[in-house]
Amino acid sequence: MSKRNNLFIFILTLGVFGILNTEMGVIGILPQIAEQFNVSVSQAGLLVSLFALAVAISGPILPLVFSRFNRRGVMLLVLGVFVISNIFSIFATNFTFAIIARVIPAFLHPVYISIALTAAASSVSEKEIPKAVSKVIMGVSAGIVLGVPITTFIASIASIDAAMTFFAIVNAVAFIGVLLFVPSMPVRERLSYGSQLRVLKKAITWQSIVAVIFVNAATAGVYSYFAEYLATITHISGKGLSLMLVIFGAASLFGNVLGGRLLSENAIKSVMIYPFVFGVVYIFLFFMGQFTVPMFIIVVIWGVLYAIASNISQYWITSAAPEAPEFANGLFLTSGNLGVTIGTTVGGLFISGMGVRYIVVGGLLFLILSLAFILLRIYMYTPKKQISH
């Protein structure tokens, strides 16, 4: 990969980081936001949940709508809206205004991500696509993993407004990077909306969507209660918990790179083996979670596998609908968000019904369901020689 291409992909990734940082960064400062606007913490949580809902709604729609326009222009539009909305958030005088400033750009979130993934894939050879895509997906992981502690730190030493300013600055830097270094990217073969929507008539598309929903439910259903599990079962809290979160985050960044390499080597086999490997980790988590040293090792492997789920999910849906890349990436984002919602909900039911330890059982059940749909697609659509390759 040339230096010029590396710069191109880095700028795409920076934009993804800025957008995910805006989405997830507020998680760490919800109590301060609640205090500033005189609302409850659960009400402040609407800044996260309504953002995610907007992403899920627009995921399959807006990437399709914008798929006919120059990709560089659309990326500048999305980043520009994020910069402006973040500036409005800094000066928000009431909670309703703060929500509006969050939700409007959220609808454009899938547009930038899907274009970044498509642009990265189209900039390299077919064999290098998973590696290029994994670098862009790393922006997602970095936004989730680094966004929360960075924002929390800025708010603790300065103010909430300073944290919101950080969101605006990151998106502004990405905007300038696209403006200066990303060439015009007109869509040479304009696909009609109908031709893109036709991928929904294919059984392989729906098999892939369902598999991705279950994969994400399996990962998020347990990770969403990561802190609760460590505090209740492993009896780790405070600085120890923060350290575990950092370790998990570092492992997940490595997982993005590893995921890209595994998919480049043998995509079908990697996807097929994934639920088995994660299942083993969950079994160890269930039986060894109360011990600190084994838990440390489990967290490292868990972080790596958690990140690989994004690579696998993106590949599994886009490979099912290669004729409509932007639309397929939108479906990937929506499927992932649905999986997170379902997994988190079911994980909560396991906690309330059986106890924190048993969220792992929910994760295992979702892994089994994902494996069933993965194997169904492989059996129906993959030549045997491709699996053994």
Side-chain angles (χ1 to χ4, degrees), residues 13-251:
T13 305
L14 181 63
V16 171
F17 171 72
I19 288 170
L20 263 295
N21 187 40
T22 299
E23 177 182 5
M24 305 301 292
V26 298
I27 288 174
I29 57 172
L30 287 180
Q32 294 99 309
I33 291 173
E35 186 178 346
Q36 178 167 313
F37 292 110
N38 197 27
V39 296
S40 68
V41 173
S42 60
Q43 285 176 303
L46 289 171
L47 294 173
V48 179
S49 57
L50 290 180
F51 194 109
L53 180 63
V55 173
I57 292 169
S58 67
I61 302 167
L62 290 188
L64 180 67
V65 171
F66 283 97
S67 64
R68 307 177 94 181
F69 300 99
N70 188 298
R71 288 168 179 163
R72 176 176 178 267
V74 175
M75 285 195 292
L76 288 171
L77 169 68
V78 175
L79 291 170
V81 169
F82 266 83
V83 172
I84 293 167
S85 68
N86 283 323
I87 291 170
F88 275 118
S89 294
I90 297 168
F91 299 102
T93 52
N94 62 69
F95 189 61
T96 303
F97 193 77
I99 286 179
I100 293 169
R102 289 272 298 170
V103 171
I104 290 174
F107 283 105
L108 293 173
H109 170 295
V111 177
Y112 183 93
I113 308 291
S114 64
I115 287 177
L117 291 167
T118 304
S122 62
S123 70
V124 295
S125 65
E126 189 173 347
K127 185 173 176 58
E128 293 291 310
I129 286 174
K131 289 182 183 178
V133 166
S134 72
K135 290 180 180 178
V136 175
I137 291 177
M138 191 182 289
V140 176
S141 296
I144 295 169
V145 171
L146 301 177
V148 175
I150 291 173
T151 305
T152 306
F153 175 73
I154 292 171
S156 66
I157 64 167
S159 64
I160 294 175
D161 291 346
M164 297 294 179
T165 303
F166 171 67
F167 296 159
I169 290 170
V170 174
N171 284 292
V173 171
F175 179 92
I176 293 166
V178 172
L179 188 67
L180 297 179
F181 300 108
V182 172
S184 177
M185 293 186 288
V187 180
R188 290 183 175 82
E189 295 180 21
R190 291 191 176 183
L191 300 171
S192 68
Y193 298 141
S195 67
Q196 295 183 74
L197 287 168
R198 271 197 291 275
V199 303
L200 294 176
K201 291 183 177 180
K202 302 193 302 181
I204 187 174
T205 303
W206 287 104
Q207 288 168 8
S208 304
I209 287 171
V210 174
V212 166
I213 288 172
F214 286 141
V215 164
N216 284 273
T219 56
V222 183
Y223 176 66
S224 296
Y225 304 99
F226 182 87
E228 183 69 18
Y229 194 94
L230 286 175
T232 307
I233 307 301
T234 321
H235 303 295
I236 294 175
S237 58
K239 290 180 180 178
L241 176 58
S242 299
L243 178 62
M244 285 291 199
L245 285 166
V246 170
I247 290 166
F248 187 96

Side-chain angles (χ1 to χ4, degrees), residues 2 54 106 128 162 214 220 242 254 319 333 374-375:
S2 67
E128 293 291 310
F214 286 141
S242 299
F254 172 74
S319 63
L333 292 167
I374 287 167
L375 293 177

Side-chain angles (χ1 to χ4, degrees), residues 57 74 92 153 199 221 252 283 309 316-317 346 367:
I57 292 169
V74 175
F153 175 73
V199 303
S252 70
I283 290 168
W316 207 235
I317 290 183
V346 172
L367 283 174

